[in-house]
Amino acid sequence: MRRKSNIWRGLTSVTAILLTFSILMTQLLISWSGQVNVFLNVTAPVIEADASTMHYKSNYELSDTGLQAMLADSDKHDVQTMEEGTVLLKNEQAVLPLSSEERSVTLFGRSTADPVYSGNSGGPGMDEKRQVSLHSALAEAGFKINDKLFDAYKNSEVARVKAAPDWFIGEVEKSLYTADLQATYQNDFNDAAIVMLSRDGGEGKDLATSDRDGISYLALHDTEKDLLKMIKDSGKFSKTIVLINSAYAMELGWLEEEEYGVDAALWIGNPGLKGFTGVANVITGAADPSGRLVDTFAADSLSAPAVRNAGDFQYANDDGHYIVEAEGIYQGYKYYETRYQDAVLGLHNADSNAGAFVNKDSWNYADEMVYSFGYGRSFANFSQELVDVDWDRQAKTVTATVKVTNEGYPAESTYTGKSKSVVQVYAQLPYEEGQAEKSAIQLIGFGKTGELGAGESEEVTVTIDEYLFATYDVNAGNGADTSKKGSYVFDPGDYYFAIGDDSHDALNNVLAKKAGTNVQGKLITADGSSVEGDPDKAIPVPLESLDNVTYAKSEYTDEVVSNQFDDVDLNYFAGDTVTYLTRNDWNTYPDPYSDLTASDELKAVMYDHKYEKPADAPAYDSFTQGAEVTLKLLDMKDVPFEDDETWNKFLDQLTISELSATIGENFGQPAVKSINKPANKNTDGPSGSQSSYLYGGNQPATAHVSQIVAASTWNQELLAERGNFIAEDCLFSGTTQLWSPGANMHRTPFSGRNFEYYSEDSILSYLMGANQAKAMQAKGLTAAIKHFVSNDQETNRSELATFMTEQAYRQGPLKAFEGAFTEGGALGTMMSFSRIGARLAYADSATLKQVLRNEWGFKGVTITDSVKGNPNIPTVESLVAGTDTFNADTNRASEIHKYLASKKDGYVLQELRRANKHFYYSLAKSSLLNGLTDETEVEGFTPWWQTLLKVINYTLGALLLLSLFFFIRTSLRRTQREG
């Protein structure tokens, strides 16, 4: 009897432990249910729709067959995007494309066996069954490849490392190239050497300014130098072609150095699932690359003024982190080109050694620059003629008419196809000391030709919204409200509108027109060659007087646009601590602002901002909740946002519990039966949907070419097409809201997520975001563009204070997003982890309410980035500041529900209703409505794994009770016998 009792005691103990563990794991997994569903490929059932209930239609049948047809077209789009996004950097003696006889090649560089297909962040997995590698793409194109060397790379244990302090490019040492391996290309596989060099970063991973080798991660490393020299010294390859497999602007001055023997170079970024087919097409001449750079490629990656204050900065007296964007508006090309102009004109200490990285004694443009913003070549020789420029102040547009002609191909070229050219339109604004800062040249619009054969021409018309080159002046009187300071303005003077092959070429054209003989012999190209500039490619248009009226009010909402961000400048808290870079004196090139002291006032903004109920808050019981349901979600499909009466009636139907449930998000929100709202699915990311298709065997959704490659096409139609196919992916995977595209700026070449953001230029981002978001929304996909706003680095990204001037904030980070909302109609945005100045982005009402909604007229839903379990993110304060939903944190819903139950706070209830209106308005314009009718009865959804966990818990519970029963019974019997 004692033995039985011990058995039951042991079994009871073990079962109790297992049950406790199972319950804890169940709670943990359910709290992360969204991520678990993604991992297990679990999706809520999609309501089947016919033609009459398909409110947002696919161009294809939602079936296995329809999916295959969609994927075929989507893949063609990605290949074309890769072809048009590939940038031809160099092509000596027209060595590209390779002739049809040159099909025996050796691939060099470990990256050829381990390419960077995409940066690391949320998005679709790489479907190995559909994936195209460089090797497979070339093999498919008919190339014979040196597989012995390729296999050596593939079998090497060398790998890239993306973690401090051991950042490592992952290239093999020269010792790998044994005599046997070098013998493989002595008599074969030597029509061309194709070398691929890669750099990689990602979410939470800014690239290292000093890596394992003690140099910039973006510099050419000794292993790569040895490789290139080995290829040249072998004497076996008449053509060496380099592929730059990097979304980050590498230091590429070595491409022109004779010791490395490079004949041609292509920037290919991150090709995604299918892009390498496009790369192969460029190499063979099946396509002409027509991409242009969306970033500046400097000789030294550390030379940009923004780099001086990027990285790890911590307060001397606080655990918080910050960055000071002391470069002001001079990010990317706006710094290099503006300083170049002043150097040519001999102004403002432009040739001082401040910021000189190559020649330490004096700054010189040719020393500091390799490839200017907008640079890119073609197999063809193109000419462009600026036919006309019309600045119509009444229409508020500038129209540039440009005649583009394909003048033919080099005699050595084997290319037999047609080619495209990009028209880039720039402006130089009048500038005098004392005015708001202005770049010497800035992109304002662009267009792209169709395919042109030799001798063919096309007239391209680029229509530009003049608002895009208005200057935000914090010191200007506001022409719409004289009691306020700050306004977008046009200063009086001559405005030069110019075209150019890149930003530098356009500036030279302006200088030739503007300064004439005063700059003769002083203008140079990026490589230092003398150039005259073309004055016929620049047209001045005078403006007689200051205009501080036209854009003193929002053109979308009629809201006065005035200073809102004094405290985003660190000097608001710390006097004149920061000297911002100004073109009035290039000796203001910034030093790092390290170990700053956080004042009590600054710390109060960071940590002590607490919600206080307004004195005029509405009464809690002035709102009706849980009223009889007469309006379902489908009924709200065409109800205007401005119809407050109908929307209030709809919101009155929801209970406090239902209202609260909306703000807690976990890759979606559950069904609400009372209003017939199905469960909605949200997911990541900019390169496609982080999900699997509901058809065709549940394969992963397409990982499209990276966003930076799409941007490098300079083709707005392709960006719209990209948005269309990403929306198709979401229709086929049941996704309602996608955290895409990405519109943060490439503040530095080291910013970890440059691959999923468009550019260093805010206007390029504005225009591309507008086109892509518009196409996504048209198919019922909520385009939740991210990370709004100023996610300018990954280092210390959570609650990172980002300080800058209001001009820089409005014309840079904010402008980059603006087009997606105002022109593209995006109805969602995922926000940034960072702080705007010292204030959490999630609790910054000046950004979320004043700018986003009051100035831009945004009607959609805001969502945080993942805040689960983060006690530093206040729920109530964020809600009332303009945050609508909290990503990956359903506990926020119960927190708000409990708060309202105890506080009966009418203002918080009002803000909760506001958040619900934004949420349901976005859903009422989404594909979630597909299949809904007046008769549809929505059911809740429980994932199978949650049911399984409940079964396990109930089973263990039953076993525990049973074993406990037998333990007690045997114990009692033993006691009775012993008694």
Side-chain angles (χ1 to χ4, degrees):
M1 185 64 68
R2 182 181 296 276
R3 183 180 176 189
K4 285 185 178 181
S5 177
N6 289 338
I7 292 174
W8 288 118
R9 179 190 293 115
L11 187 57
T12 300
S13 300
V14 170
T15 306
I17 292 170
L18 288 175
L19 178 59
T20 301
F21 176 76
S22 180
I23 290 173
L24 290 174
M25 287 303 299
T26 298
Q27 291 174 340
L28 177 65
L29 291 173
I30 288 178
S31 72
W32 291 94
S33 60
Q35 290 87 335
V36 175
N37 286 337
V38 171
F39 179 77
L40 296 176
N41 191 25
V42 175
T43 301
V46 175
I47 299 173
E48 292 188 10
D50 57 26
S52 65
T53 59
M54 196 73 174
H55 305 287
Y56 290 92
K57 295 178 171 57
S58 169
N59 293 342
Y60 309 86
E61 180 184 87
L62 294 181
S63 64
D64 292 353
T65 303
L67 175 63
Q68 295 312 308
M70 188 275 285
L71 291 180
D73 289 344
S74 175
D75 291 348
K76 288 178 184 177
H77 159 78
D78 277 339
V79 171
Q80 182 185 352
T81 299
M82 192 71 238
E83 293 166 354
E84 293 200 30
T86 294
V87 181
L88 181 62
L89 300 173
K90 180 179 182 178
N91 197 22
E92 293 295 322
Q93 305 302 314
V95 300
L96 284 177
L98 297 178
S99 71
S100 57
E101 288 78 34
E102 297 171 311
R103 289 294 184 271
S104 183
V105 299
T106 296
L107 304 183
F108 286 97
R110 198 194 65 84
S111 293
T112 58
D114 181 23
V116 179
Y117 293 96
S118 180
N120 298 117
S121 71
M126 202 61 65
D127 186 350
E128 294 182 0
K129 294 179 181 178
R130 297 175 57 213
Q131 187 176 38
V132 176
S133 67
L134 175 64
H135 185 284
S136 64
L138 291 174
E140 182 68 21
F143 282 87
K144 187 171 69 170
I145 299 170
N146 182 350
D147 280 333
K148 188 169 183 180
L149 179 56
F150 182 82
D151 289 342
Y153 287 134
K154 192 163 59 173
N155 295 328
S156 167
E157 294 182 358
V158 174
R160 286 182 289 271
V161 177
K162 298 188 297 180
D166 290 328
W167 276 83
F168 177 49
I169 63 170
E171 191 51 80
V172 298
E173 297 287 340
K174 60 183 178 182
S175 58
L176 177 92
Y177 302 99
T178 62
D180 285 346
L181 282 180
Q182 292 188 50
T184 60
Y185 52 78
Q186 296 299 310
N187 300 308
D188 201 358
F189 306 112
N190 54 19
D191 289 343
I194 299 177
V195 184
M196 190 157 81
L197 307 182
S198 300
R199 297 294 186 271
D200 193 14
E203 183 171 0
K205 296 185 182 298
D206 288 329
L207 280 62
T209 55
S210 180
D211 64 9
R212 179 188 294 184
D213 295 329
I215 61 175
S216 168
Y217 186 71
L218 296 173
L220 188 69
H221 285 57
D222 285 344
T223 50
E224 296 167 323
K225 293 176 182 178
D226 292 341
L227 171 61
L228 292 166
K229 289 176 182 177
M230 180 189 75
I231 295 168
K232 184 184 179 186
D233 293 346
S234 74
K236 294 298 179 180
F237 298 94
S238 59
K239 297 182 177 182
T240 297
I241 301 158
V242 172
L243 307 179
I244 303 299
N245 175 213
S246 170
Y248 311 91
M250 289 178 61
E251 299 174 8
L252 297 179
W254 52 268
L255 287 173
E256 300 298 331
E257 294 179 17
E258 187 175 341
E259 65 178 316
Y260 300 121
V262 177
D263 300 297
L266 297 167
W267 177 88
I268 63 171
N270 300 152
L273 193 69
K274 296 290 184 179
F276 274 116
T277 297
V279 175
N281 289 345
V282 168
I283 292 173
T284 63
D288 185 348
S290 57
R292 301 293 184 266
L293 296 177
V294 295
D295 292 320
T296 300
F297 280 60
D300 190 317
S301 56
L302 302 175
S303 66
V307 176
R308 304 289 284 168
N309 286 283
D312 185 12
F313 292 85
Q314 184 175 349
Y315 298 106
N317 62 333
D318 188 82
D319 291 338
H321 294 87
Y322 65 89
I323 53 173
V324 178
E325 301 193 3
E327 69 274 12
I329 71 163
Y330 299 107
Q331 290 183 13
Y333 74 94
K334 293 177 181 178
Y335 162 67
Y336 295 99
E337 302 303 336
T338 306
R339 189 164 183 175
Y340 164 75
Q341 172 178 288
D342 283 0
V344 167
L345 299 176
L347 299 174
H348 307 137
N349 303 309
D351 61 355
S352 74
N353 65 358
F357 276 72
V358 178
N359 175 2
K360 303 292 186 180
D361 296 327
S362 178
W363 192 90
N364 179 278
Y365 182 83
D367 291 338
E368 302 292 336
M369 185 55 57
V370 178
Y371 297 119
S372 307
F373 172 84
Y375 175 86
R377 303 175 63 176
S378 168
F379 293 156
N381 296 315
F382 279 100
S383 66
Q384 295 187 1
E385 175 190 354
L386 183 56
V387 177
D388 185 51
V389 169
D390 177 32
W391 186 7
D392 186 336
R393 292 306 318 276
Q394 189 170 5
K396 301 181 181 179
T397 59
V398 171
T399 303
T401 305
V402 181
K403 182 181 179 182
V404 183
T405 302
N406 182 343
E407 302 290 356
Y409 299 86
E412 310 95 327
S413 178
T414 63
Y415 186 66
T416 59
K418 294 188 175 186
S419 304
K420 292 184 176 184
S421 182
V422 174
V423 172
Q424 303 176 39
V425 184
Y426 292 85
Q428 182 179 97
L429 314 183
Y431 175 75
E432 295 179 2
E433 190 169 342
Q435 293 177 345
E437 296 291 332
K438 301 186 185 82
S439 170
I441 202 80
Q442 62 186 72
L443 181 74
I444 59 173
F446 58 91
K448 197 164 191 176
T449 68
E451 292 188 326
L452 299 176
E456 294 181 339
S457 298
E458 180 182 338
E459 202 166 81
V460 177
T461 300
V462 182
T463 302
I464 299 150
D465 184 347
E466 67 173 16
Y467 169 64
L468 297 183
F469 58 90
T471 299
Y472 191 82
D473 187 345
V474 296
N475 295 315
N478 188 286
D481 184 343
T482 56
S483 70
K484 295 181 177 179
K485 294 284 285 185
S487 177
Y488 280 102
V489 303
F490 293 111
D491 286 310
D494 288 334
Y495 286 71
Y496 285 81
F497 300 99
I499 59 172
D501 294 334
D502 52 47
S503 59
H504 188 66
D505 187 44
L507 179 55
N508 276 334
N509 294 337
V510 169
L511 289 171
K513 182 73 172 183
K514 184 177 182 179
T517 57
N518 291 331
V519 296
Q520 192 171 0
K522 297 180 180 180
L523 303 182
I524 59 172
T525 62
D527 66 6
S529 302
S530 180
V531 67
E532 294 183 358
D534 188 342
D536 291 335
K537 291 183 177 179
I539 294 177
V541 179
L543 185 68
E544 297 300 326
S545 59
L546 171 70
D547 178 359
N548 65 341
V549 174
T550 302
Y551 297 104
K553 281 187 175 183
S554 165
E555 57 185 323
Y556 313 108
T557 66
D558 216 30
E559 179 80 7
V560 172
V561 178
S562 60
N563 292 348
Q564 303 292 327
F565 300 103
D566 291 346
D567 61 354
V568 173
D569 184 344
L570 183 64
N571 288 335
Y572 178 87
F573 300 100
D576 295 326
T577 297
V578 179
T579 298
Y580 288 96
L581 181 60
T582 173
R583 63 185 292 183
N584 295 326
D585 181 5
W586 293 104
N587 284 326
T588 57
Y589 182 90
D591 289 322
Y593 285 94
S594 304
D595 298 319
L596 295 179
T597 299
S599 67
D600 291 341
E601 184 182 7
L602 176 60
K603 287 196 282 188
V605 174
M606 288 195 293
Y607 306 126
D608 298 336
H609 175 62
K610 303 298 182 184
Y611 164 73
E612 293 183 5
K613 183 178 177 180
D616 60 349
Y620 185 77
D621 57 9
S622 65
F623 297 99
T624 299
Q625 302 303 155
E628 180 183 355
V629 174
T630 58
L631 293 169
K632 303 293 182 68
L633 178 61
L634 181 60
D635 296 320
M636 306 305 290
K637 178 177 181 293
D638 297 315
V639 177
F641 187 85
E642 295 74 19
D643 186 350
D644 291 335
E645 182 179 354
T646 304
W647 276 105
N648 282 331
K649 185 177 180 182
F650 175 79
L651 295 171
D652 288 348
Q653 303 170 137
L654 300 171
T655 65
I656 297 295
S657 178
E658 289 169 336
L659 287 173
S660 300
T662 294
I663 71 164
E665 192 272 354
N666 207 342
F667 282 67
Q669 281 97 341
V672 181
K673 295 182 182 180
S674 64
I675 55 170
N676 234 24
K677 178 246 166 194
N680 58 286
K681 176 183 174 182
N682 307 333
T683 194
D684 235 344
S687 62
S689 176
Q690 184 176 318
S691 56
S692 296
Y693 296 124
L694 301 175
Y695 309 89
N698 297 112
Q699 64 199 74
T702 298
H704 296 277
V705 296
S706 62
Q707 191 167 293
I708 190 176
V709 174
S712 299
T713 66
W714 292 62
N715 186 331
Q716 298 191 55
E717 291 180 2
L718 274 182
L719 264 294
E721 200 171 277
R722 176 184 179 86
N724 175 74
F725 279 115
I726 288 177
E728 288 284 0
D729 290 336
C730 290
L731 284 171
F732 275 90
S733 63
T735 300
T736 306
Q737 179 188 107
L738 189 69
W739 308 321
S740 169
N744 294 98
M745 295 170 65
H746 302 173
R747 180 177 175 241
T748 78
F750 299 93
S751 300
R753 299 180 91 160
N754 284 354
F755 67 94
E756 64 179 5
Y757 301 148
Y758 292 116
S759 171
E760 72 179 31
D761 183 72
S762 60
I763 302 305
L764 192 69
S765 298
Y766 177 106
L767 295 169
M768 293 194 164
N771 280 275
Q772 185 173 339
K774 186 175 183 179
M776 293 166 72
Q777 289 288 160
K779 273 200 158 47
L781 175 63
T782 299
I785 190 167
K786 68 178 189 179
H787 298 91
F788 187 69
V789 63
S790 291
N791 189 63
D792 291 334
Q793 66 176 45
E794 292 298 290
T795 303
N796 304 323
R797 62 177 177 159
S798 184
E799 302 160 47
L800 176 74
T802 54
F803 295 106
M804 68 194 83
T805 67
E806 178 156 2
Q807 182 192 4
Y809 185 45
R810 283 189 178 270
Q811 291 182 204
L814 284 172
K815 188 74 72 181
F817 278 87
E818 185 175 348
F821 300 121
T822 58
E823 304 295 331
L827 287 178
T829 186
M830 173 172 269
M831 295 178 285
S832 168
F833 277 118
S834 64
R835 297 176 184 270
I836 310 304
R839 202 177 307 280
L840 288 168
Y842 308 143
D844 183 28
S845 61
T847 297
L848 297 181
K849 285 189 172 180
Q850 178 58 26
V851 172
L852 183 60
R853 298 196 187 276
N854 297 346
E855 294 181 17
W856 295 349
F858 178 64
K859 301 178 177 68
V861 62
T862 60
I863 180 170
T864 69
D865 208 323
S866 179
V867 295
K868 185 172 188 63
N870 187 343
N872 297 329
I873 307 301
T875 303
V876 173
E877 287 80 2
S878 298
L879 175 67
V880 300
T883 292
D884 298 328
T885 51
F886 294 81
N887 174 238
D889 197 346
T890 54
N891 288 332
R892 306 286 176 161
S894 57
E895 183 180 342
I896 284 292
H897 194 189
K898 291 175 183 176
Y899 175 88
L900 289 173
S902 63
K903 301 294 185 180
K904 306 295 183 184
D905 187 330
Y907 184 76
V908 172
L909 178 55
Q910 170 187 288
E911 294 302 288
L912 180 61
R913 286 169 61 95
R914 171 197 54 76
N916 272 260
K917 181 180 180 182
H918 300 151
F919 173 73
Y920 282 110
Y921 182 80
S922 71
L923 288 184
K925 306 291 183 187
S926 79
S927 60
L928 190 69
L929 300 186
N930 287 349
L932 289 182
T933 67
D934 293 337
E935 289 74 36
T936 305
E937 291 187 8
V938 170
E939 296 295 331
F941 167 68
T942 302
W944 61 264
W945 59 269
Q946 291 187 18
T947 302
L948 177 61
L949 288 173
K950 289 179 181 179
V951 170
I952 292 173
N953 289 339
Y954 288 142
T955 301
L956 288 172
L959 286 174
L960 176 61
L961 291 174
L962 185 64
S963 61
L964 183 62
F965 168 76
F966 282 111
F967 169 66
I968 293 172
R969 192 177 73 169
T970 55
S971 296
L972 289 174
R973 287 182 176 179
R974 188 188 66 191
T975 301
Q976 290 172 353
R977 291 189 179 185
E978 291 177 352

